[in-house]
């Protein structure tokens, strides 16, 4: 694939993520923070996010599978996930967390289970999309090109 | 940093401002670090609150500002805020994914300068340096004002203020030397009521019960070397007076509630009275936050106020919810010149109102604030008495005491009524009388980082030790005493108002009031 084409694909792909609401402007902020002195910033942060989130989702599953659910434990996890997802711009994950928290407050186990599923779904979606995004970027760089700056045309 | 370095750094400020960032979430921490770097601050990060505290304790001058997440596993973020404010007197900004006002309120109560909601944007971080400036500028200004001692010149105009500022550096240097001398001089016995010492005091009093507290017992319980019964006695007296005042104020507080609720932050004083926010005079968190910082630092008094003051923070000390004790550091302010003055450096203006040469309290500024008058007189008497009594340790002893406890009343004078002695804050409306009072309470609320910090809490004001520098928080007093907390809160105004008070400075026999810059 030609470099220009790759770059265009990347841009389109990124744009679609925004349009779908998978990512929000916070992600753009992250991209803007990336520069020569910090060339892999976005991928580093996103990797951290994945690591943290995997762990949290795991803990959440365990907590909710208990006989007696301890919401005092569940809530902080969700809260943290909400914080980190909002920080990287994973909008849908964050929104799912917000809903999750309300069910936690109501101590609704059934509701929480559903929310957890929802969160997981959104999380895997964004994870998948971002991984694809990074691959595209890597291809471009490998071909000697630069990653085009995101145009905020939308 | 030395004074010179400080000054140099200030020139470059806010570039290179040293920030300590604390967040257990790796993702957020990394992002925060990068954002801060982008703002050209110097950043240190840690994911444990405990580590953060250790770093801070290791070298108090290593950082200018702390940003901390609220929800951390090893320590509650609010607690960290409190401790940092208490021990290090640094501005702390809270960070959280919670945006609900209750949490913001809580943050303010615990002394946070600001409260940011995740995800944090770089625009927000670009302005955080203001908190540092406010604090330090305030401190320096106060210091210069205090040390200039130009009260007698009746320097009430802007020029006077500027002149003071010019001399600021020089004074600061002098101050530092003085402070060092005072601190380092082992030969002279001095009783400095440090926080730890005060905490012990509170513990002892608590143990025997406030009503049964007698100096001898307290002294025994405290088990501190080089502390005399006399020291304890006068400290206790002040304490009692302050307690009384607080109680009285609490009663008055009710009237001002509505006003306060509009005020944004609960400054560290927190619900000093009845969990009322202390209106710092600014409805934005930003604005009012400044003072908050200091409050937590001096919470020792908290423990003692059982009645209306919930004792919230008892970690390691008595914390009067949101009531910072006057910074002990203020006590160290170089009083050299004014050993015999109640308030060596600081006083001038401030003292004047309180202690007019003729024991004449001129409460012009106080609107119908007769208690002030009385209190001032008492303070004067008291400070005089204190000064004369504590010979070997007098200055030091009385100073620290005075600083914090002045408000509590003069040991000699009968009752310092609760009038808002604390109202000393720097309300621009305050006339000189206020200034005087402000002084004494300065420690209480020195932290007027944000203009108009109204703190109805006298006690808190009293208690405010270190942050005292900002001292101007008395602005809030207005609420209680009908003083208007000026919204302007510009430092200039404050200084000006303070300057006006210098007129009658005469002797500030209080001597204990240290204006910590």
């Amino acid at each position: 694939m030609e470099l220009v084409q790759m770059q265009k694909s990347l841009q389109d792909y990124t744009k679609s993520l925004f349009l779908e609401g998978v990512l929000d402007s916070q992600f753009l902020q992250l991209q803007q923070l990336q520069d020569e002195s910090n060339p892999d910033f976005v991928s580093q942060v996103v990797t951290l996010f994945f690591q943290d989130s995997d762990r949290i989702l795991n803990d959440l599953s365990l907590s909710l599978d208990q006989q007696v659910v301890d919401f005092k434990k569940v809530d902080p996890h969700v809260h943290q996930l909400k914080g980190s997802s909002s920080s990287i711009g994973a909008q849908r994950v964050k929104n799912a967390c917000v809903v999750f928290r309300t069910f936690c407050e109501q101590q609704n186990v059934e509701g929480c289970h559903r929310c957890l599923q929802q969160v997981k779904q959104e999380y895997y979606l964004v994870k998948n999309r971002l991984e694809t995004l990074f691959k595209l970027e890597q291809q471009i760089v490998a071909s000697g090109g630069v990653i085009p700056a995101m145009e905020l045309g939308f | 940093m030395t004074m010179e370095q400080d000054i140099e750094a200030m020139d470059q400020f806010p570039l290179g401002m040293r920030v300590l960032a604390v967040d257990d979430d790796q993702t957020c921490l990394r992002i925060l670090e990068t954002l801060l770097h982008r703002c050209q601050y110097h950043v240190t990060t840690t994911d444990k609150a405990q580590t953060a505290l250790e770093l801070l304790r290791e070298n108090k001058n290593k950082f200018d500002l702390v940003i901390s997440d609220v929800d951390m596993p090893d320590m509650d973020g609010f607690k960290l805020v409190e401790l940092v404010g208490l021990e290090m007197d640094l501005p702390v900004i809270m960070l959280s994914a919670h945006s609900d006002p209750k949490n913001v309120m809580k943050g303010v109560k615990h002394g946070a300068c600001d409260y940011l909601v995740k995800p944090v944007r770089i625009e927000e971080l670009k302005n955080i340096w203001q908190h540092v400036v406010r604090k330090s500028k305030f401190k320096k200004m106060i210091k210069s004002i205090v040390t200039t001692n130009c009260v007698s010149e009746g320097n009430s105009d802007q020029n006077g203020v500027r002149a003071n500022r010019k001399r600021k550096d020089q004074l600061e240097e002098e101050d530092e030397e003085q402070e060092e001398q005072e601190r380092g001089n082992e030969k002279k016995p001095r009783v400095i009521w440090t926080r730890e010492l005060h905490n012990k005091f509170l513990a002892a009093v608590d143990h025997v019960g406030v009503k049964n507290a007698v100096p001898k017992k307290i002294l025994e319980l405290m088990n501190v070397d080089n502390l005399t019964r006399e020291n304890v006695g006068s400290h206790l007296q002040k304490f009692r007076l302050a307690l009384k005042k607080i109680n009285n104020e609490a009663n008055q507080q009710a009237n001002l509630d509505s006003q306060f609720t509009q005020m944004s932050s609960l400054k560290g004083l927190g619900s000093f009275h009845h969990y009322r926010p202390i209106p710092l005079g600014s409805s934005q968190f930003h604005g009012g936050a400044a003072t908050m910082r200091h409050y937590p630092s001096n919470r020792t008094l908290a423990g003692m106020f059982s009645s209306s003051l919930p004792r919230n923070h008892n970690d390691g000390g008595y914390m009067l919810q949101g009531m910072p004790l006057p910074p002990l550091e203020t006590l160290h302010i170089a009083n050299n010149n004014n050993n015999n003055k109640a308030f060596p450096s600081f006083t001038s203006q401030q003292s004047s109102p309180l202690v007019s040469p003729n024991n004449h309290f001129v409460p012009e500024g106080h609107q119908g604030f007769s208690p002030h008058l009385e209190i001032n007189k008492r303070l004067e008497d008291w400070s005089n008495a204190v000064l004369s009594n504590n010979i070997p340790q007098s200055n030091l002893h009385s100073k620290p005491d005075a600083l914090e406890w002045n408000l509590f009343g003069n040991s000699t004078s009968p009752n310092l009524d609760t009038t808002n002695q604390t109202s000393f804050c720097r309300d621009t409306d305050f006339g000189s009388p206020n200034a005087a009072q402000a002084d004494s309470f300065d420690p209480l609320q020195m932290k007027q980082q944000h203009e108009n910090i109204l703190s109805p809490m006298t006690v808190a004001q009293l208690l405010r030790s270190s942050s005292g520098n900002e001292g101007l928080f008395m602005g809030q007093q207005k609420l209680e005493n009908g003083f208007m907390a000026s919204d302007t809160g510009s430092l200039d105004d404050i200084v000006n108002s303070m300057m006006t008070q210098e007129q009658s400075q005469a002797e500030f026999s209080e001597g204990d009031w240290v204006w910590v810059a």
Side-chain angles (χ1 to χ4, degrees):
Chain A
M1 215 197 242
E2 263 194 49
L3 186 61
V4 174
Q5 248 181 307
M6 283 198 277
Q7 287 170 331
K8 178 93 179 31
S9 294
L10 176 65
Q11 277 189 316
D12 289 342
Y13 189 70
T14 314
K15 221 181 239 185
S16 71
L17 293 181
F18 283 106
L19 288 173
E20 285 172 31
V22 176
L23 292 178
D24 65 18
S25 58
Q26 188 65 19
F27 188 76
L28 284 176
Q29 281 232 350
L30 291 190
Q31 287 187 319
Q32 282 165 13
L33 285 178
Q34 181 164 295
D35 57 15
E36 307 80 35
S37 63
N38 217 345
D40 298 316
F41 177 63
V42 181
S43 62
Q44 281 173 4
V45 172
V46 171
T47 309
L48 281 173
F49 171 66
F50 290 157
Q51 286 170 357
D52 280 347
S53 305
D54 286 335
R55 183 180 43 84
I56 291 174
L57 287 172
N58 228 356
D59 290 343
L60 277 174
S61 299
L62 285 172
S63 298
L64 282 180
D65 280 339
Q66 300 293 313
Q67 284 278 3
V68 179
V69 177
D70 184 359
F71 288 100
K72 291 220 173 74
K73 280 208 181 128
V74 173
D75 189 68
H77 285 313
V78 183
H79 179 71
Q80 186 176 344
L81 187 59
K82 177 188 163 199
S84 52
S85 59
S86 67
S87 296
I88 67 147
Q91 192 176 264
R92 302 219 308 223
V93 177
K94 180 197 76 174
N95 291 342
C97 288
V98 172
V99 178
F100 197 151
R101 289 196 78 219
T102 43
F103 281 110
C104 272
E105 278 169 34
Q106 296 165 7
Q107 308 224 341
N108 182 337
V109 179
E110 187 48 45
C112 284
H113 272 288
R114 285 200 305 268
C115 282
L116 179 62
Q117 290 315 307
Q118 184 70 21
V119 170
K120 278 185 175 171
Q121 210 175 312
E122 296 296 350
Y123 169 70
Y124 291 128
L125 177 76
V126 75
K127 185 171 184 188
N128 183 282
R129 299 274 196 263
L130 284 173
E131 282 171 348
T132 308
L133 191 96
F134 291 138
K135 277 209 191 97
L136 281 174
E137 284 185 352
Q138 280 163 13
Q139 283 173 357
I140 292 175
V141 171
S143 303
V146 289
I147 297 165
M150 193 54 216
E151 288 163 39
L152 303 182
F154 56 97
Chain B
M1 279 163 69
T2 66
M3 177 76 62
E4 294 74 24
Q5 282 174 350
D6 266 333
I7 295 171
E8 276 172 29
M10 285 292 282
D11 288 339
Q12 293 220 337
F13 203 80
L15 302 187
M17 184 174 80
R18 299 154 307 164
V19 181
L20 175 63
V22 191
D23 192 338
D24 65 316
D25 184 328
Q26 293 292 334
T27 314
C28 298
L29 190 62
R30 184 80 171 81
I31 295 176
L32 184 62
E33 182 186 25
T34 310
L35 285 170
L36 290 169
H37 270 135
R38 208 27 104 76
C39 298
Q40 296 186 280
Y41 302 143
H42 182 269
V43 189
T44 308
T45 59
T46 172
D47 63 348
K48 296 253 181 331
Q50 206 51 50
T51 314
L53 272 177
E54 281 164 27
L55 280 171
L56 289 165
R57 282 172 181 155
E58 182 186 299
N59 182 354
K60 294 196 177 176
N61 291 328
K62 211 167 162 195
F63 299 102
D64 298 309
L65 180 83
V66 180
I67 298 188
S68 168
D69 183 43
V70 169
D71 322 283
M72 291 191 285
D74 68 328
M75 184 189 293
D76 178 22
F78 293 114
K79 193 176 224 177
L80 178 66
V81 170
E82 256 185 309
L83 287 174
V84 173
L86 192 68
E87 297 183 26
M88 292 108 203
D89 196 27
L90 283 174
V92 182
I93 293 179
M94 308 210 70
L95 206 55
S96 174
H98 282 297
S99 60
D100 89 68
K102 286 189 207 144
N103 269 62
V104 180
M105 183 76 88
K106 197 173 173 190
V108 172
K109 275 189 187 181
H110 283 73
C113 286
D114 206 344
Y115 189 105
L116 302 177
V117 179
K118 289 182 186 174
V120 179
R121 293 190 317 279
I122 198 166
E123 295 82 17
E124 294 175 298
L125 292 177
K126 280 192 173 150
N127 286 328
I128 58 177
W129 57 268
Q130 63 182 285
H131 300 292
V132 178
V133 175
R134 289 208 191 108
K135 233 182 218 245
S136 64
K137 197 177 174 193
F138 231 115
K139 282 184 184 179
K140 285 179 180 163
M141 192 179 310
I142 301 296
K143 223 179 190 179
S144 70
I145 288 171
V146 172
T147 51
T148 353
N149 216 357
C150 58
V151 168
S152 48
E153 294 153 18
N155 226 346
S156 56
D157 58 337
Q158 285 266 348
N159 295 335
V161 175
R162 292 204 183 107
N164 279 346
R165 284 182 185 161
K166 281 176 192 165
R167 280 180 277 172
K168 182 168 68 166
D169 290 352
Q170 181 196 352
L171 287 172
E172 281 176 345
E173 284 178 327
E174 285 174 26
D175 283 353
E176 291 223 359
E177 284 169 27
Q178 287 171 351
E179 283 178 26
E180 284 169 11
Q181 279 173 10
E182 288 179 359
R183 285 184 191 140
N185 197 343
E186 309 272 311
K187 294 172 189 173
K188 262 200 226 169
R190 286 179 172 180
V191 176
I192 296 175
W193 284 91
T194 61
R195 256 179 228 110
E196 295 81 48
L197 199 59
H198 185 62
N199 281 346
K200 281 188 180 165
F201 169 79
L202 286 175
V205 174
D206 205 39
H207 187 75
V208 297
V210 180
K211 294 189 178 164
N212 299 332
V214 288
K216 190 175 175 195
K217 271 196 189 144
I218 296 171
L219 185 65
E220 279 168 27
L221 283 169
M222 281 176 73
N223 196 18
V224 172
D225 290 339
N226 301 324
L227 192 67
T228 68
R229 194 173 62 77
E230 193 185 32
N231 299 144
V232 175
S234 67
H235 196 72
L236 177 65
Q237 203 156 10
K238 290 179 201 165
F239 188 71
R240 283 213 177 100
L241 286 163
L243 269 174
K244 233 196 223 171
K245 248 192 263 178
I246 291 172
N247 283 338
N248 286 353
E249 277 188 343
N251 295 338
Q252 297 174 19
Q253 182 67 29
N255 310 335
L256 304 169
D257 259 346
S258 56
Q259 291 182 32
F260 284 166
T261 48
Q262 284 164 20
M263 304 279 201
S264 58
S265 31
L266 284 187
K267 301 299 175 146
L269 292 186
S271 48
F272 151 78
H273 285 291
H274 305 287
Y275 277 103
R276 288 214 193 111
I278 296 190
L280 287 182
S282 95
S283 46
Q284 297 148 18
F285 192 104
H286 268 279
T291 54
M292 298 247 318
R293 270 273 295 120
H294 293 282
Y295 292 32
S297 54
N298 306 314
R299 305 265 190 99
T300 49
L301 198 52
M304 302 315 295
F305 296 96
S306 47
S307 52
S308 50
L309 305 172
R311 194 193 286 213
N312 292 350
H313 316 285
N314 269 336
D315 31 338
Y318 291 75
M319 305 283 251
L320 186 56
Q321 164 110 15
M323 285 212 321
L325 286 179
L328 291 171
E329 292 140 31
T330 55
L331 300 180
H332 296 305
I333 288 245
N335 302 342
N336 334 5
N337 5 342
N338 305 328
N339 279 349
N340 297 326
K341 283 193 171 191
F343 214 162
S345 45
F346 175 57
T347 55
S348 40
Q349 318 119 17
Q350 315 226 338
S351 40
S352 50
L354 274 183
V355 184
S356 65
N358 313 322
N359 256 352
H360 210 36
F361 178 73
V362 186
E364 276 109 23
H366 301 278
Q367 304 151 26
F369 204 47
S370 46
H372 275 287
L373 185 53
E374 230 185 330
I375 293 178
N376 286 338
K377 282 192 184 158
R378 305 247 172 85
L379 281 178
E380 193 183 15
D381 293 341
W382 171 77
S383 57
N384 285 334
V386 166
L387 288 173
S388 54
N389 287 344
N390 307 331
I391 295 153
Q393 312 166 337
S394 55
N395 295 336
L396 293 186
H397 173 59
S398 50
K399 282 201 204 115
D401 281 349
L403 194 56
E404 312 195 346
W405 305 113
N406 278 337
L407 299 182
F408 292 129
N410 306 330
S411 29
T412 55
S413 63
N415 338 309
L416 264 188
D417 289 5
T418 52
T419 56
N420 307 316
Q421 279 224 300
T422 52
S423 54
F424 70 81
C425 35
R426 314 185 182 216
D427 224 358
T428 51
D429 292 352
F430 285 121
S432 51
N434 292 343
Q437 304 212 329
D439 277 337
S440 35
F441 306 103
D442 184 36
L444 287 188
Q445 278 213 350
M446 293 293 256
K447 275 329 199 55
Q448 176 163 357
Q449 290 173 355
H450 300 270
E451 357 245 13
N452 342 319
I453 294 183
L454 289 187
S455 66
M457 306 212 210
T458 53
V459 172
Q461 295 166 343
L462 290 176
L463 302 178
R464 282 250 334 108
S465 48
S466 52
S467 43
N469 318 332
E470 266 113 18
L472 296 186
F473 82 138
M474 287 303 251
Q476 300 176 346
Q477 276 293 329
K478 173 203 175 113
L479 292 183
E480 299 212 346
N481 314 323
F483 287 126
M484 214 7 229
S486 62
D487 275 316
T488 59
S490 71
L491 290 176
D492 276 349
D493 290 345
I494 292 170
V495 170
N496 284 343
S497 65
M498 283 172 61
M499 297 307 271
T500 55
Q501 302 168 7
E502 292 176 7
Q503 301 154 13
S504 44
Q505 152 125 39
E507 304 89 28
F508 193 27
S509 50
E510 300 284 349
D512 293 332
W513 304 35
V514 186
W515 209 212
V516 173

